[in-house]
Amino acid sequence: MNREIMVSSQIEMRGITNPAVLAAMRKVERNKLVPDDLQPVAYADNPLPIGHGQTISQPFIVAYMTELLDPDPSKRILEIGTGSGYQAAVLAEIVKDVYTIEIIPALAERAKVNLEAMGYRNIHFRTGDGGLGWPEEAPFDGIIVTAAAGVIPEQLMMQLKEGACLVIPLGGTSIVQSLSVVVREGEKFKIRETIGVRFVPLTGVTQQ
Ligand code: SAM
């Protein structure tokens, strides 16, 4: 089975150990969120184009970012950059609720249709500028940004619960960005860099 091989050869091999993350990666049907002409490579070890100049992330990066969020069934997570909906689906297998925002209306609509057809009822969709967060649903137990920011949107930091973290690629349009974890400690924020990544840029008012 493609997903079993994907998990053992791309994800476990690179050190992901969280059992809930591994189970979610084994379960989510990535092929249903990939364009028809890319079906043969739906489980390949790289990102894939999804139209509008955007991408579905590499499976390992999705697993790595999910593990950094330390997800569990009590948590409510905000995702910025719905894209194909794959990261949202992986999170929705583990956490209580996923709130996902996409700035390109056609992608937002396609992800919503696909994820609802796949049976997800705990993913909440919004079309708009995710850099502003989702204040009506804040605070969140974790926030994940799946596009590269030049600056960390302050609105997102302020929508974190105490002790919660924001996982975000930092580096804007640089070729390699640093996947960073920002942890809220009262009114202070601690930033830790992890691995180098390559994401499409975060757009919107917070990046101007
Ligand atoms: N998480 C996605 C997935 O699983 O397929 C991959 C996301 S793709 C690498 C980045 C997405 O972020 C694109 O769909 C892009 O349109 C979106 N994006 C960029 N800036 C945004 C913003 N300010 N608010 C919301 N979405 C944004």
Side-chain angles (χ1 to χ4, degrees):
M1 191 245 279
N2 278 337
R3 280 194 299 283
E4 189 54 52
I5 295 168
M6 173 190 83
V7 170
S8 56
S9 68
Q10 301 174 26
I11 295 173
E12 285 181 308
M13 282 270 285
R14 293 191 179 115
I16 303 295
T17 56
N18 182 311
V21 175
L22 294 172
M25 298 299 297
R26 282 196 173 92
K27 184 160 175 207
V28 176
E29 297 164 295
R30 181 173 166 92
N31 53 299
K32 293 195 172 168
L33 299 166
V34 162
D36 287 346
D37 58 327
L38 295 176
Q39 287 303 312
V41 289
Y43 292 94
D45 192 14
N46 46 259
L48 295 169
I50 55 170
H52 305 271
Q54 305 303 325
T55 51
I56 176 173
S57 306
Q58 178 189 11
F60 167 69
I61 294 296
V62 172
Y64 188 80
M65 292 175 83
T66 307
E67 190 170 66
L68 286 175
L69 282 170
D70 191 21
D72 72 49
S74 71
K75 291 190 173 174
R76 296 166 64 251
I77 302 289
L78 174 65
E79 181 198 23
I80 312 307
T82 313
S84 69
Y86 181 62
Q87 174 72 73
V90 169
L91 280 167
E93 291 289 341
I94 308 171
V95 305
K96 183 161 178 271
D97 284 293
V98 179
Y99 296 82
T100 185
I101 308 177
E102 171 57 51
I103 204 164
I104 298 177
L107 291 180
E109 183 54 29
R110 190 170 66 197
K112 183 171 191 286
V113 167
N114 285 340
L115 292 170
E116 286 180 353
M118 289 163 76
Y120 290 101
R121 297 289 173 264
N122 61 339
I123 305 178
H124 311 278
F125 301 88
R126 177 175 266 193
T127 304
D129 186 351
L132 304 173
W134 195 323
E136 303 87 336
E137 295 294 344
F140 295 97
D141 299 297
I143 301 178
I144 176 171
V145 180
T146 63
V151 288
I152 305 173
E154 199 184 323
Q155 291 90 332
L156 296 183
M157 296 201 286
M158 298 318 291
Q159 291 178 31
L160 285 172
K161 275 188 190 167
E162 172 64 28
C165 75
L166 164 65
V167 176
I168 183 167
L170 290 178
T173 52
S174 318
I175 293 189
V176 179
Q177 306 116 10
S178 164
L179 184 61
S180 303
V181 180
V182 182
V183 181
R184 179 167 198 166
E185 293 178 359
E187 291 312 300
K188 291 199 174 139
F189 296 88
K190 261 205 184 136
I191 304 185
R192 169 169 72 87
E193 293 188 3
T194 66
I195 58 173
V197 287
R198 195 165 184 181
F199 274 88
V200 293
L202 184 70
T203 59
V205 293
T206 64
Q207 302 302 303
Q208 283 158 13

